[in-house]
Amino acid sequence: MLFLIPAYLSDESPQAYFAPIIKEYILKTDYFFVENEKTARKVIKFFAPEKKQADLKLFLLDKYSETEDLKEAQQLMKQGQDFGLLSEAGLPCIADPGNIMVSWAHRNGIKVIPVNGPSSIILALIGSGFNGQEFTFHGYLPIDKSQKKAKIQQLEQQVQRTGYTQIFMETPYRNNQLFDDLTKYLSPSSKLCIAANINHPAEEFIKTLSIRDWKNHKPELHKIPTVFVLGR
């Protein structure tokens, strides 16, 4: 079996936020696909502190990985070995490269078991007050300045034309720069939700304002995990 195991969004999250089945599945296997070994070990310790870290067998699965890079793990799965799949934060396979092993599992008769857990994208959406029936997630916006400007204006036009909510992210150390670009290129009446430090018990910040109002209430987002949502 392949367990799709959620990771916390904040390591300050209370255990009560998570289903007990997560710990049960972690204890079932020592084999895991992970995006980052250090993060994965912390997540496993968070959910199952009694798990022996020395017993863990971790297989790197990041944005550069291809199915062919994981042949050893695939052979073990074909022989009946259970595996867990961990994201760095939130649910596997959403803004995460884990889908390549899920796809492989389906092709090879391996049972896939998704586990309930937090998704910063979905939590930002439902906390925004925007249209949750029709929405699009865009991942990261372009780094090139002219391309980023064009993309921001395209997303705004999409909201105005269709009413579809538009969701996107940025590398945390560039959050403040993205905020400045959004307030520069979007219309004053456009509405933006900023969802930062989601699931942190004390520092969670989710607020929806017009661009006009955001210009007077600039948040400090540097190195803080943040999701940006445009809607109406």
Side-chain angles (χ1 to χ4, degrees), residues 129-131 158-165 191 230-232:
F130 297 147
N131 181 2
Q158 187 77 357
V159 172
Q160 293 171 345
R161 187 172 65 252
T162 68
Y164 279 41
T165 301
K191 292 183 179 179
L230 283 176
R232 69 182 190 194

Side-chain angles (χ1 to χ4, degrees), residues 3-20:
F3 307 114
L4 308 186
I5 300 172
Y8 49 66
L9 299 176
S10 166
D11 59 9
E12 299 292 329
S13 301
Q15 283 281 353
Y17 282 12
F18 304 96

Side-chain angles (χ1 to χ4, degrees), residues 56-105:
L56 296 176
K57 299 169 181 64
L58 306 181
F59 294 80
L60 183 66
L61 201 176
D62 61 18
K63 63 182 179 180
Y64 303 108
S65 300
E66 298 183 3
T67 306
E68 294 74 20
D69 300 327
L70 299 160
K71 288 183 178 179
E72 180 185 354
Q74 292 160 9
Q75 187 60 36
L76 288 167
M77 293 179 76
K78 287 180 178 179
Q79 293 169 358
Q81 177 62 56
D82 293 338
F83 266 74
L85 194 161
L86 276 167
S87 176
E88 275 202 271
L91 292 173
C93 306
I94 300 180
D96 171 88
N99 65 289
I100 66 170
M101 276 312 303
V102 177
S103 177
W104 180 90

Side-chain angles (χ1 to χ4, degrees), residues 8 34-46 53 56 58 60 86-88:
Y8 49 66
V34 303
E35 192 174 358
N36 179 284
E37 180 175 337
K38 183 178 179 180
T39 301
R41 289 185 179 277
K42 286 178 63 179
V43 170
I44 290 169
K45 185 175 182 179
F46 175 85
Q53 293 279 323
L56 296 176
L58 306 181
L60 183 66
L86 276 167
S87 176
E88 275 202 271

Side-chain angles (χ1 to χ4, degrees), residues 110-122:
I110 307 296
K111 185 174 182 180
V112 175
I113 301 179
V115 183
N116 288 335
S119 164
S120 61
I121 299 158
I122 298 302

